[in-house]
Amino acid sequence: MYQKIGIDYGIVNSIDGYDEISLTGDFKVTTNQYERIFKPQDLGFDIAKPEELVAGASEEEAAAIFDSVLQNRCLPAQKNIVLANAAFAIQVLEKGQKPIEECVEIARESIDSGRAWKTFLKFAELNK
């Protein structure tokens, strides 16, 4: 459908039921350019354990986890999951012109440098 109306898109889901890339196992990515099953190892990541996917029992807890990821103070698995999902979003924005490994590194640099956190703070300020 998206291809017919000319929209760049990326749809991701984990084969084991998560509605995003969870790194708990194989995951499927469909974009304008391809449809493919990936393994976490294809991106250089270890398989995540479901218990590492703590989302928070309340909005406040979820927000604290989100903040910890952007501030690079989270569990390694939490960061890797964000990096994987962000990398495929970056690849869609780049119209498939960058390999996924490069997109992972762009996402990693954004978190490691603090740019992701600064951008989020600016976004929050503009949307008060």
Side-chain angles (χ1 to χ4, degrees), residues 87-104:
F88 284 100
I90 290 166
Q91 191 177 56
V92 168
L93 290 171
E94 294 289 338
K95 301 189 181 303
Q97 299 302 305
K98 292 186 188 251
I100 195 59
E101 297 81 9
E102 184 177 348
C103 296
V104 169

Side-chain angles (χ1 to χ4, degrees), residues 6-76:
I7 294 175
D8 294 327
Y9 69 93
I11 302 168
V12 300
N13 67 285
S14 292
I15 302 302
D16 57 4
Y18 291 95
D19 61 357
E20 61 183 23
I21 299 168
S22 67
L23 300 179
T24 54
D26 294 356
F27 56 94
K28 182 177 180 179
V29 177
T30 305
T31 72
N32 298 64
Q33 287 78 34
Y34 62 87
E35 182 173 336
R36 180 176 164 197
I37 303 290
F38 288 88
K39 296 181 177 312
Q41 300 88 334
D42 295 338
L43 303 180
F45 297 122
D46 292 330
I47 293 176
K49 297 179 180 101
E51 57 269 17
E52 295 175 303
L53 306 182
V54 179
S58 66
E59 285 183 28
E60 293 78 18
E61 288 178 10
I65 293 168
F66 179 82
D67 290 353
S68 75
V69 171
L70 291 184
Q71 293 174 5
N72 204 14
R73 299 182 293 106
C74 59
L75 297 173

